[in-house]
Amino acid sequence: MQFKQALGLVIGLVVGITGGILFSKSLRPEPGSMQERLEVAEEQLARSNRRLKAMAQHVARYRGSSKGEIQRMARDFKDGKELSFDDILGSAKPWMRQVAPVMERVRKVSEADWADARVSEWTRNYNLSEAEQEELKEYFSEQSRKNAERITEVINSDESGFVDFVQATDNDWRDFDGVETVMEGFLEGEELEKFRAEQLDKRIETVQNEADRKLKVLDDIVSLDDAQHQQLFGVMVRGSEDYRPEVKPEGFTGQATPLDRTARDSAIEAVLRPDQKQALDKHRDERVQKVTEQWEKYQLSPPKKFDALEGDVF
């Protein structure tokens, strides 16, 4: 009992001393004393530090926000600094991400209407079954989804630029290359031959119109003679993105292998005389200069990889 009493006394003494110390620290110091002035200064410093930290966080959020970025660009433009479409797209991305669900619904409705019309047309022409109609709709839906994914990827990326966005939105989900294979799986006999003939005629018309148009532009630049005109028509045909070996427009003779743009340009230069090559090079240089002047006129700097947007010379 004596040990327990002594232990209780010691514990009580420790608690009492601790409480006394805490109580003494809770009392305000004497008014006007050095201790009071020190505590007031410490409190003011702590409040100032909290305000400074909060302000720094606000500025960091503001600078990263769409509104802050737009106002920064407005100041830069006012100060005579060049802006880039990459910066403009970057400032618009937060807004684009917010409205993306709405735009997605609009896109789906529009594309579904188009797909329904196409499926209805082919159903009338080729007597497609309900299962075949659904397969066609699924094909168009899948093409649309893939293209939408590319656009979403660009919008959600902080690294993508204006050129990436244009290239992502330049994909036509109404792609007939793949759907031809789907349709051929449904058809046989005369219907299959009819379908293939119709698609081939459409492709020939597209390729021929493109070749004639580009050849006219080249002729305006370098003044082709009749022999060159005949040779380069075939080059333009083979250089079309829609060209296939079975595509043979009227007046097309010679090789049937497709040409990419580099190979096509090499084939064109092989036909031109030295003075014509010089005229073509001059046209290209002037074209680049004109584009550069247009950027400068609007106080804009070209976006990254902007050459990819300039497209074909012809």
Side-chain angles (χ1 to χ4, degrees):
M1 289 293 293
Q2 291 181 350
F3 174 76
K4 290 183 179 180
Q5 289 176 350
L7 180 60
L9 181 62
V10 171
I11 293 173
L13 183 61
V14 170
V15 172
I17 294 174
T18 302
I21 294 173
L22 295 176
F23 176 75
S24 65
K25 288 189 175 182
S26 68
L27 296 176
R28 296 294 301 173
E30 290 293 330
S33 66
M34 180 63 70
Q35 184 177 359
E36 183 189 44
R37 292 198 296 272
L38 179 61
E39 287 189 4
V40 171
E42 288 177 345
E43 289 176 1
Q44 291 176 343
L45 178 61
R47 283 197 299 270
S48 297
N49 286 336
R50 289 194 297 271
R51 290 172 181 171
L52 183 61
K53 183 177 180 180
M55 185 176 296
Q57 292 174 344
H58 172 74
V59 170
R61 290 193 301 269
Y62 181 78
R63 285 179 176 174
S65 69
S66 176
K67 180 180 178 181
E69 187 65 14
I70 291 173
Q71 292 190 355
R72 179 193 66 77
M73 288 190 297
R75 289 194 302 269
D76 287 348
F77 186 81
K78 184 178 180 181
D79 293 341
K81 297 180 181 178
E82 283 190 340
L83 298 179
S84 169
F85 272 111
D86 293 322
D87 296 330
I88 296 173
L89 176 66
S91 67
K93 282 181 181 178
W95 174 82
M96 295 170 72
R97 291 164 186 160
Q98 290 180 354
V99 302
V102 177
M103 298 304 296
E104 177 69 6
R105 289 197 293 270
V106 173
R107 180 189 62 81
K108 284 184 176 180
V109 170
S110 176
E111 295 177 355
D113 288 344
W114 188 95
D116 287 345
R118 176 59 59 190
V119 171
S120 177
E121 176 188 351
W122 284 346
T123 298
R124 290 195 311 273
N125 293 341
Y126 301 104
N127 195 29
L128 300 180
S129 67
E130 290 187 6
E132 290 169 341
Q133 294 175 47
E134 289 302 316
E135 188 172 341
L136 265 182
K137 291 180 181 180
E138 180 59 30
Y139 166 81
F140 286 124
S141 177
E142 180 65 12
Q143 291 299 114
S144 175
R145 185 189 63 78
K146 289 179 180 178
N147 288 337
E149 283 182 353
R150 284 191 285 268
I151 298 173
T152 300
E153 183 179 353
V154 170
I155 294 175
N156 289 335
S157 171
D158 293 330
E159 304 300 323
S160 62
F162 180 75
V163 173
D164 299 312
F165 178 75
V166 172
Q167 291 175 334
T169 56
D170 195 33
N171 294 303
D172 190 352
W173 62 276
R174 295 167 290 193
D175 185 355
F176 277 78
D177 286 345
V179 80
E180 289 176 352
T181 302
V182 176
M183 281 292 294
E184 288 175 1
F186 301 154
L187 308 176
E188 58 184 16
E190 293 182 0
E191 283 191 336
L192 178 58
E193 293 303 318
K194 177 185 175 184
F195 176 79
R196 285 174 173 171
E198 288 178 348
Q199 297 305 111
L200 180 59
D201 287 344
K202 290 179 181 179
R203 192 179 293 276
I204 289 174
E205 182 180 3
T206 299
V207 171
Q208 182 163 344
N209 288 341
E210 178 182 341
D212 285 334
R213 183 179 67 254
K214 291 185 175 182
L215 195 58
K216 174 63 168 58
V217 175
L218 179 60
D219 191 15
D220 290 342
I221 297 170
V222 303
S223 299
L224 301 170
D225 59 37
D226 291 341
Q228 289 175 325
H229 200 283
Q230 183 64 34
Q231 285 180 276
L232 292 177
F233 176 73
V235 172
M236 293 299 188
V237 167
R238 294 165 59 202
S240 170
E241 292 184 1
D242 289 316
Y243 174 73
R244 302 291 184 274
E246 63 271 18
V247 173
K248 299 185 183 300
E250 182 180 353
F252 173 69
T253 58
Q255 299 184 39
T257 54
L259 298 173
D260 60 22
R261 183 175 296 180
T262 301
R264 186 210 63 183
D265 289 349
S266 296
I268 290 172
E269 293 182 2
V271 176
L272 300 181
R273 299 186 306 270
D275 62 308
Q276 291 174 317
K277 290 181 183 179
Q278 186 176 2
L280 181 57
D281 289 339
K282 181 182 178 181
H283 173 79
R284 286 170 172 157
D285 292 340
E286 290 175 348
R287 189 167 181 260
V288 172
Q289 181 62 31
K290 183 178 180 180
V291 171
T292 302
E293 290 174 355
Q294 287 176 338
W295 288 109
E296 293 174 350
K297 178 181 179 181
Y298 295 104
Q299 204 172 313
L300 295 169
S301 60
K304 294 178 294 184
K305 304 182 293 185
F306 85 99
D307 290 343
L309 294 183
E310 291 309 301
D312 202 348
V313 173
F314 310 110

